[in-house]
């Protein structure tokens, strides 16, 4: 079957460039929404997964889905700290951090509206366990004092959280002596202070979690078996990366499902627009269709040509929408993490997989919008076309 040249297809879109751009613009908006939703979900997952280290283990109370509803007694924490297989510091101390985690309400910088911020009690060892965290302003808090350091997202997004400011919570005034950058991970959205002082201030009798580094990455299964077999413990160890990956699932899936549903609804309008455009193209080119048929081009070639126009139109819209969505990578955004009910700052993240999914979605809209007009064009009879011309 002789095929109609691609240049003919592209030329017809250019001749109707105003209509083409308007239709492509409608598709671009739908593609933009679709792509940004996927980028948002991927950004949340990337932020939380990157929070964990592959050789770190987080221990929580069995059945606890998050640190804020977990509890590990001091006796249990001491047993965990004495486990064989835990890495040692240069001073020969076990790399174990026993941490209380609570939520505190702070007003946002722009609106003044209150939002939950995660407050973590930790130590110098806790900082060693998170190599992605580095101080960018000020200094580390001193043990035994009411000093705190704030994540970069907290320092930017909340009132009274900058270097030198003072925050009042848990019946005390806490002085911000440092600001840290956690490499766009979940720790950027936290406030850190001395673990013992946090326990006293919040009147906590138990730690929220115990974090330690494995001496060998493959030692996890042995340590997990030891903890599960100890009748004194009711705890559940998880690799830190796995823990934070689980934390991202509920929120990322919710955004993905809601955004995809909205995109599908919006796409109906874009498909109808493409269909109207292609029907108009068929109506205005009946004479051309008759000429093509008279020159020996079969129905299938006409069908493919008009369907190709619709797909090319949708590809243009898809590329425009994808380009607009890519600009969102420079935007910082925050939302509430469903697992912890605290503020989480993250960035949109565009991946090759999202590019493929987005362009496939755009072409699918073009296929649905163009098939019926293309089918009608292919079914026109030569005599009727030439008579109408």
């Amino acid at each position: 079957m002789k095929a109609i040249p691609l240049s003919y297809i592209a030329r017809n879109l250019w001749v109707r460039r105003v209509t083409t751009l308007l239709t492509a613009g409608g598709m671009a908006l739908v593609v933009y929404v679709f792509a940004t939703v996927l980028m948002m979900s991927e950004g949340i997952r990337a932020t939380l997964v990157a929070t964990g280290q592959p050789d770190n283990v987080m221990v929580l109370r069995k059945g606890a889905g998050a640190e804020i509803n977990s509890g590990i007694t001091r006796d249990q924490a001491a047993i965990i700290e004495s486990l064989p297989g835990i890495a040692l510091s240069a001073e020969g101390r076990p790399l174990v951090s026993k941490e209380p985690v609570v939520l505190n309400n702070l007003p946002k910088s722009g609106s003044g509206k209150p939002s939950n911020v995660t407050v973590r009690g930790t130590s110098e060892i806790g900082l060693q366990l998170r190599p992605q965290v580095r101080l960018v302003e000020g200094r580390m808090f001193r043990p035994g004092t009411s000093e705190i350091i704030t994540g970069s997202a907290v320092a930017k997004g909340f009132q009274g959280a900058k270097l030198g400011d003072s925050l009042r919570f848990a019946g005390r005034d806490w002085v911000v002596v440092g600001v840290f950058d956690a490499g766009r991970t979940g720790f950027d959205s936290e406030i850190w202070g001395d673990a013992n002082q946090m326990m006293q201030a919040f009147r906590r009798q138990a730690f929220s979690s115990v974090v330690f580094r494995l001496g060998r990455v493959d030692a996890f299964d042995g340590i997990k078996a030891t903890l599960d077999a100890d009748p004194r413990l009711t705890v559940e160890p998880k690799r830190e990366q796995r823990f934070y990956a689980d934390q991202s699932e509920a929120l990322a899936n919710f955004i993905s499902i809601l955004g995809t549903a909205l995109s599908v609804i919006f796409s109906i309008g874009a498909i109808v627009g493409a269909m109207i455009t292609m029907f108009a193209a068929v109506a205005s080119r009946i004479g051309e269709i008759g000429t093509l048929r008279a020159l020996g081009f079969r129905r299938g070639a006409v069908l493919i040509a008009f369907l190709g126009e619709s797909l090319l139109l949708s590809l243009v819209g898809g590329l425009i929408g994808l380009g607009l969505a890519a600009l969102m990578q420079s935007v910082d955004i925050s939302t509430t993490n469903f697992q912890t009910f605290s503020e989480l700052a993250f960035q949109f993240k565009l991946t090759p997989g999202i590019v493929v999914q987005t362009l496939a979605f755009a072409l699918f809209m073009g296929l649905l919008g163009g098939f019926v007009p293309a089918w009608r064009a292919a079914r026109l009879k030569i005599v009727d076309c030439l008579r109408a011309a």
Side-chain angles (χ1 to χ4, degrees):
M1 180 179 65
K2 187 163 61 171
I4 296 175
L6 182 62
S7 58
Y8 171 82
I9 296 172
R11 181 183 63 80
N12 285 318
L13 287 178
W14 177 250
V15 169
R16 308 189 317 276
R17 49 186 173 273
V18 175
T19 305
T20 296
L21 285 175
L22 289 174
T23 306
M27 287 188 161
L29 290 175
V30 177
V31 168
Y32 169 79
V33 172
F34 182 78
T36 50
V37 165
L38 295 180
M39 289 167 62
M40 184 181 294
S41 296
E42 186 61 31
I44 291 169
R45 287 193 178 97
T47 296
L48 286 174
V49 170
T51 303
Q53 294 295 309
D55 53 353
N56 282 359
V57 175
M58 179 170 282
V59 184
L60 279 73
R61 177 178 55 80
K62 190 167 289 187
E67 290 177 280
I68 58 171
N69 52 27
S70 171
I72 297 178
T73 65
R74 293 178 183 272
D75 291 340
Q76 290 175 328
I79 295 170
I80 296 168
E81 189 174 18
S82 65
L83 287 172
I86 294 178
L88 302 177
S89 67
E91 297 80 22
R93 298 167 57 196
L95 287 174
V96 178
S97 183
K98 297 167 283 189
E99 302 180 341
V101 177
V102 295
L103 295 181
N104 187 52
N105 210 260
L106 293 180
K108 289 192 169 183
S109 294
S111 62
K113 292 182 179 179
S115 185
N116 287 331
V117 177
T118 298
V119 179
R120 181 180 300 276
T122 187
S123 62
E124 187 68 43
I125 289 180
L127 195 61
Q128 292 181 45
L129 289 171
R130 285 102 180 194
Q132 73 272 40
V133 176
R134 58 186 182 86
L135 284 167
V136 292
E137 292 184 67
R139 57 175 175 81
M140 182 65 172
F141 60 81
R142 291 174 298 176
T145 66
S146 297
E147 295 178 344
I148 54 175
I149 57 176
T150 58
S152 56
V154 175
K156 291 177 186 175
F158 290 87
Q159 297 176 14
K162 293 181 174 61
L163 181 65
D165 288 346
S166 179
L167 289 172
R168 183 165 184 81
F169 57 85
R172 293 191 191 182
D173 290 320
W174 303 80
V175 180
V176 180
V177 297
V179 176
F180 62 88
D181 181 275
R184 301 194 183 282
T185 64
F187 294 132
D188 278 326
S189 303
E190 295 186 355
I191 295 173
W192 289 6
D194 179 67
N196 290 325
Q197 293 301 308
M198 292 290 179
M199 293 279 281
Q200 294 175 19
F202 286 99
R203 297 181 174 85
R204 301 292 291 269
Q205 301 300 316
F207 299 106
S208 300
S209 63
V210 176
V211 185
F212 61 85
R213 178 170 296 164
L214 294 168
R216 301 190 328 273
V217 178
D218 59 356
F220 174 76
D221 290 338
I223 287 181
K224 184 179 187 306
T226 301
L227 291 174
D228 290 343
D230 194 324
R232 298 170 295 176
L233 302 175
T234 53
V235 299
E236 182 178 6
K238 280 187 178 182
R239 289 188 183 272
E240 196 176 43
Q241 280 188 335
R242 179 71 263 165
F243 170 78
Y244 284 109
D246 292 343
Q247 293 280 295
S248 71
E249 285 306 307
L251 179 57
N253 288 341
F254 172 77
I255 291 174
S256 182
I257 293 170
L258 178 62
T260 302
L262 290 174
S263 298
V264 169
I265 293 171
F266 294 156
S267 71
I268 295 173
I271 290 168
V272 171
M275 193 175 293
I276 291 171
T277 299
M278 295 309 300
F279 268 126
V282 171
S284 65
R285 289 157 55 197
I286 290 178
E288 283 185 33
I289 295 170
T291 302
L292 289 171
R293 293 296 313 283
L295 291 173
F297 291 100
R298 304 178 75 85
R299 295 181 189 275
V302 174
L303 174 69
I304 292 172
F306 277 88
L307 198 56
E309 282 188 35
S310 181
L311 291 173
L312 187 57
L313 180 65
S314 64
L315 181 62
V316 171
L319 291 173
I320 294 172
L322 195 58
L324 293 174
L327 299 177
M328 295 297 293
Q329 292 181 101
S330 60
V331 177
D332 292 314
I333 191 171
S334 63
T335 188
T336 300
N337 187 342
F338 290 170
Q339 290 289 98
T340 62
F341 303 103
S342 63
E343 195 83 4
L344 175 68
F346 64 95
Q347 280 192 316
F348 293 89
K349 185 175 177 63
L350 182 63
T351 64
I354 291 176
V355 172
V356 171
Q357 290 179 64
T358 300
L359 292 180
F361 178 67
L363 291 173
F364 181 69
M365 287 194 294
L367 179 65
L368 291 182
F371 182 78
V372 174
W375 178 262
R376 181 178 182 276
R379 301 304 299 171
L380 290 173
K381 296 180 180 179
I382 298 176
V383 175
D384 293 339
C385 291
L386 295 177
R387 186 182 296 121

